Amino acid sequence: MLESFFNCSMMARAQKVGLAEIHLHDIRDYTTDKHHKTDDYPFGGCAGLVMKIEPIDRLISDLKSQRDYDEVIYTSPDGEQFNQKIANSLSLLNNVIILCGHYKGIDYRIREHLITREISIGDYVLTGGELAAAVMTDSIVRLIPGVLSDEQSALSDCFQDNLLAPPVYTRPAEYKGWRVPDVLLSGNQALIDDWEFQQSMERTKRLRPDLL
C-alpha cells in the first residue's frame, strides 16, 4: 500500500535528490513466533483484535538504536487533529517515526510509554493508519526546502495563514464567455495582492468560518 505511494511523483523525487529518507518497516519482522502474529484478543472480552506490545517495542527500540528521533507518532482517531501548523512544525524535525494503528488499536502501554505524540487526520475511522501516515508524510515532505520546484508555492497554499487560498486561473483569459477577473490581467501587483487577500477572506468566511 505504501511502497507505491512513496515511490512516485514528488515523494520519489525528494528521496532521489537526498532531501528526504522514507523507510517502511513491517512489524511482522519483529515477531518471534512461527506465524509472525502481531495481534491478539483484548482483555475484557470486547470485540476486535489489538496490536501486541512486544513486536512494536522491538521495532521502535531497534530504530532508536540506529539514530535519534524527535517524535514517535501514533496515527489514532482520538489524537490531535492534523493541520498545516503541525505539518510546518514536523517538517523542521530531523527524524520521525510514524506508527500506523490497525485493528481495534494497539496495546495501550505502547501509547503510555513509547509514543510521544498522537495525531488524527479526521473524525472518522480507517481500517489502518497507513493512509493517515501517507497523508501526513506527503504534507510534511513537500514543505522541505527544495522539494517543490517553486518554494513560494507551499507558502501560498491553503491554511498557511489560517485562510483558504484565493481562486486561481490560467490561459485562455476568456473561454465560452467566461472571463478571468480583469484585475489578474492588469499587471498591477499591489492590486492583485489585495484582490487575492480579499478573496481569501471572503472564501474563508463563507466556507470555513471556524478558521477565523
Side-chain angles (χ1 to χ4, degrees):
M1 183 187 296
L2 292 177
E3 285 178 353
S4 59
F5 177 79
F6 289 138
N7 286 294
C8 67
S9 188
M10 178 203 70
M11 304 299 288
R13 185 171 65 251
Q15 295 174 82
K16 185 177 181 180
V17 299
L19 294 173
E21 290 184 18
I22 300 172
H23 302 282
L24 304 179
H25 303 276
D26 189 345
I27 295 174
R28 292 186 184 277
D29 294 339
Y30 291 84
T31 56
T32 55
D33 65 293
K34 66 178 181 179
H35 299 295
H36 302 290
K37 190 175 181 181
T38 61
D39 58 3
D40 209 335
Y41 294 103
F43 289 121
C46 64
L49 292 167
V50 178
M51 297 290 289
K52 299 175 67 173
I53 188 171
E54 299 102 330
I56 293 176
D57 182 36
R58 293 188 194 103
L59 170 55
I60 293 176
S61 295
D62 182 37
L63 296 181
K64 285 185 172 181
S65 71
Q66 300 174 40
R67 67 181 75 185
D68 293 326
Y69 286 91
D70 301 294
E71 295 277 15
V72 180
I73 297 169
Y74 172 53
T75 59
S76 168
D78 53 8
E80 61 181 313
Q81 190 104 344
F82 187 69
N83 57 29
Q84 192 63 47
K85 182 178 180 180
I86 293 175
N88 291 343
S89 65
L90 292 177
S91 73
L92 301 175
L93 303 182
N94 290 317
N95 298 305
V96 172
I97 294 173
I98 302 179
L99 175 64
C100 302
H102 211 62
Y103 304 121
K104 193 68 175 178
I106 61 175
D107 187 301
Y108 202 78
R109 289 168 291 185
I110 300 167
R111 300 171 71 170
E112 291 178 310
H113 301 287
L114 302 177
I115 301 301
T116 64
R117 192 168 192 176
E118 300 185 3
I119 296 178
S120 167
I121 63 167
D123 294 337
Y124 47 85
V125 176
L126 299 170
T127 302
E130 294 86 357
L131 294 177
V135 166
M136 290 192 296
T137 304
D138 181 282
S139 182
I140 293 165
V141 169
R142 69 190 305 276
L143 294 170
I144 298 173
V147 171
L148 297 180
S149 56
D150 181 0
E151 293 182 16
Q152 292 299 313
S153 177
L155 298 179
S156 61
D157 285 341
C158 278
F159 309 117
Q160 282 292 7
D161 297 313
N162 274 350
L163 295 175
L164 299 183
V168 293
Y169 303 85
T170 189
R171 295 173 179 80
E174 184 171 347
Y175 177 72
K176 291 186 176 181
W178 307 331
R179 283 188 52 79
V180 171
D182 291 337
V183 64
L184 297 179
L185 309 176
S186 68
N188 188 322
Q189 194 58 52
L191 288 178
I192 293 172
D193 290 344
D194 182 66
W195 179 87
E196 289 180 338
F197 176 73
Q198 295 302 326
Q199 289 291 313
S200 289
M201 287 292 294
E202 188 279 326
R203 296 188 72 243
T204 305
K205 288 179 181 178
R206 176 166 49 90
L207 301 172
R208 289 293 305 276
D210 57 294
L211 293 175
L212 296 174

